[in-house]
């Protein structure tokens, strides 16, 4: 039975796009169960799809309804982009084409970019003032950049892109290497773009308060760890035959939960619009080390950047500048 508190609280309105797709099939149940907004917080869910997948989204909604989740106050399926974001407090922008074998995520910009212009405009028109938008659809950073540009009246910092999956992959590879649970690590960050150029950085990483770098050798770090994490998405596509879904949903849950509920001083990775930190062009949606508190992200500033780190960060600035030039043609 739902708690007394849950009986009295106003529901959070949550929009999930791509509701008939693979990621949403996992994400919806996690949001509905209280994993994101809390165990006492009811949710009102809007499942946004395009016409060809509307029937399948209805099927997903039927299953969600059959799950009898006590925090769920409403489930709406729509193909109307404007109606889909009306009054939304949180939106997971998942709906977009996944890449196939041999494609890069940037290749998806031509197919997917326009989706985020329309959805940015719809968010601008009707979302609640406290809207939080997490873009998952690829290329996630530039799609978030596009949506933020299209939603001129909404503060840009309400638009994030998902790089928590990369962060979680980094923790997992490191945990296996040092035989430690993932939550024993602190101060791991993945800089940049959710793309092969991303820089999973262990410079500041600690394991139970002790520096990680003396525990690993440089060759493993440079030649195995960094490329393993950066290319994990392609590895999943190769082995699974489809792009990651449950792990992506799990990372989206982690991201939105920490945005709403905070990180208790711990670092995580979030791609958010730069305000010029670490030499990243203002407006580019870039993966930074952050902490979450009071419903907001704070980029960890003032870190010393070495000659090993600088070119790896700059490669991501370059890549995102190029994607932004392509994106400008879509408006
Ligand atoms: P999927 O093909 O299973 O589902 C995508 C769904 O989006 C489809 O049902 C489609 O009809 C719908 N859709 C397309 N355009 C839409 C629109 N304008 N409005 C609403 N819905 C729309 O794909 P998936 O596996 O769920 O992946 C979705 C996206 O997430 C892909 O772009 C994928 O590359 C990306 N992804 C990102 C990360 C990340 O870490 N950022 C991780 C995994 C996947
Ligand atoms: C991932 O990192 O798993 C996703 O972005 C899917 C992909 O295209 O790699």
């Amino acid at each position: 039975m739902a708690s007394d508190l849950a009986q009295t609280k106003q529901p959070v309105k949550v929009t999930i796009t791509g509701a008939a797709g693979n990621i949403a099939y996992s994400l919806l149940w996690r949001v509905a169960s209280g994993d994101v907004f809390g165990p006492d917080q009811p949710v009102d869910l809007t499942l946004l799809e395009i016409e060809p997948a509307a029937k399948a989204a209805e099927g997903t909604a039927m299953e969600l309804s059959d799950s009898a989740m006590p925090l769920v106050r409403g489930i709406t399926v729509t193909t109307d982009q404007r109606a889909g974001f009306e009054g939304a407090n949180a939106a997971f922008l998942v709906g977009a084409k996944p890449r196939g074998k041999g494609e890069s995520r940037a290749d998806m910009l031509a197919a997917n970019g326009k989706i985020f212009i329309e959805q940015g405009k719809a968010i601008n028109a009707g979302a609640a003032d406290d809207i939080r938008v997490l873009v998952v659809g690829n290329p996630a950073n530039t799609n978030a950049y596009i949506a933020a540009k299209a939603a001129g009246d909404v503060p840009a910092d309400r638009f994030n892109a998902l790089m928590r999956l990369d962060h979680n992959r980094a923790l997992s590879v490191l945990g296996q290497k040092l035989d430690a649970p993932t939550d024993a690590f602190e101060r791991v960050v993945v800089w940049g773009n959710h793309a092969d150029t991303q820089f999973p950085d262990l410079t500041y990483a600690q394991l139970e308060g002790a520096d990680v770098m003396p525990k690993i050798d440089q060759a493993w770090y440079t030649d195995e760890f960094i490329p393993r994490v950066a290319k994990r998405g392609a590895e999943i596509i190769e082995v699974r035959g489809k792009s990651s879904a449950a792990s992506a949903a799990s990372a989206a849950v982690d991201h939105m939960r920490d945005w709403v509920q905070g990180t208790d001083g711990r670092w995580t990775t979030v791609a958010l619009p730069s305000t010029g930190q670490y030499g990243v062009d203002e407006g580019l949606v870039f993966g930074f080390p952050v902490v979450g508190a009071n419903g907001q992200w704070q980029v960890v500033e003032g870190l010393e950047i070495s000659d090993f780190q600088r070119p790896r960060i700059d490669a991501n600035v370059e890549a995102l500048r190029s994607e932004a030039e392509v994106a400008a043609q879509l408006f």
Side-chain angles (χ1 to χ4, degrees):
M1 198 174 144
S3 69
D4 290 349
L5 197 53
Q7 309 279 10
T8 54
K9 274 188 167 179
Q10 275 289 105
V12 171
K13 283 202 79 178
V14 187
T15 303
I16 298 182
T17 75
N22 283 304
I23 294 174
Y25 200 62
S26 174
L27 178 60
L28 278 161
W29 272 261
R30 298 284 308 277
V31 172
S33 69
D35 286 354
V36 176
F37 300 100
D40 294 316
Q41 177 57 61
V43 289
D44 183 350
L45 302 169
T46 297
L47 280 56
L48 181 60
E49 256 296 348
I50 48 172
E51 209 54 61
K55 191 167 175 221
E58 288 286 357
T60 301
M62 286 162 66
E63 278 204 75
L64 196 52
S65 175
D66 291 351
S67 304
M69 319 277 281
L71 292 173
V72 175
R73 292 289 180 275
I75 306 172
T76 307
V77 178
T78 183
T79 57
D80 180 331
Q81 299 277 329
R82 287 289 166 117
F85 295 102
E86 196 58 47
N89 307 108
F92 294 86
L93 305 192
V94 180
K97 190 172 174 291
R99 66 173 167 159
K101 284 185 194 176
E103 289 178 307
S104 80
R105 297 185 189 92
D107 292 339
M108 298 292 103
L109 191 50
N112 290 339
K114 283 208 166 81
I115 296 171
F116 297 87
I117 297 179
E118 194 185 357
Q119 291 180 351
K121 286 181 179 166
I123 287 164
N124 201 52
D129 287 346
D130 66 348
I131 182 71
R132 288 183 171 86
V133 181
L134 174 57
V135 175
V136 177
N138 277 320
N141 299 53
T142 297
N143 289 337
Y145 169 89
I146 291 171
K149 286 250 173 300
D153 302 324
V154 180
D157 66 1
R158 312 312 293 180
F159 291 83
N160 291 178
L162 182 68
M163 285 186 64
R164 184 62 171 263
L165 180 54
D166 308 295
H167 185 93
N168 287 349
R169 286 167 174 164
L171 292 176
S172 171
V173 175
L174 195 54
Q176 286 165 46
K177 175 75 174 171
L178 295 180
D179 194 20
T182 51
D183 66 354
F185 296 98
E186 238 297 45
R187 297 177 172 234
V188 170
V189 56
V190 184
W191 299 92
N193 195 8
H194 178 60
D196 290 1
T197 49
Q198 70 182 244
F199 173 32
D201 186 359
L202 299 180
T203 307
Y204 322 102
Q206 295 186 336
L207 170 58
E208 283 155 0
D211 288 344
V212 159
M213 285 308 280
K215 301 178 193 292
I216 57 176
D217 61 82
Q218 187 67 34
W220 178 80
Y221 178 41
T222 313
D223 303 334
E224 289 187 47
F225 175 76
I226 293 175
R228 186 88 201 274
V229 173
K231 294 182 182 159
R232 185 63 162 183
E235 190 184 353
I236 298 281
I237 292 170
E238 185 61 39
V239 175
R240 187 173 177 264
K242 280 195 278 190
S243 78
S244 62
S247 58
S250 192
V253 164
D254 290 345
H255 181 130
M256 189 65 88
R257 180 201 60 224
D258 286 356
W259 197 356
V260 173
Q261 301 190 34
T263 62
D264 208 13
R266 292 170 66 87
W267 291 18
T268 187
T269 298
V270 165
L272 47 73
S274 167
T275 57
Q277 300 96 331
Y278 297 103
V280 179
D281 304 7
E282 204 177 323
L284 293 180
V285 175
F286 204 84
F288 287 114
V290 302
V291 292
N294 305 317
Q296 296 192 332
W297 297 121
Q298 206 71 52
V299 174
V300 178
E301 296 206 59
L303 298 169
E304 213 169 292
I305 303 295
S306 69
D307 292 348
F308 180 85
Q309 294 166 293
R310 190 74 256 171
R312 289 171 168 80
I313 292 173
D314 288 349
N316 285 281
V317 177
E318 281 300 321
L320 284 167
R321 268 186 203 146
S322 306
E323 289 184 26
E325 280 168 24
V326 177
Q329 315 296 318
L330 301 174
F331 280 86

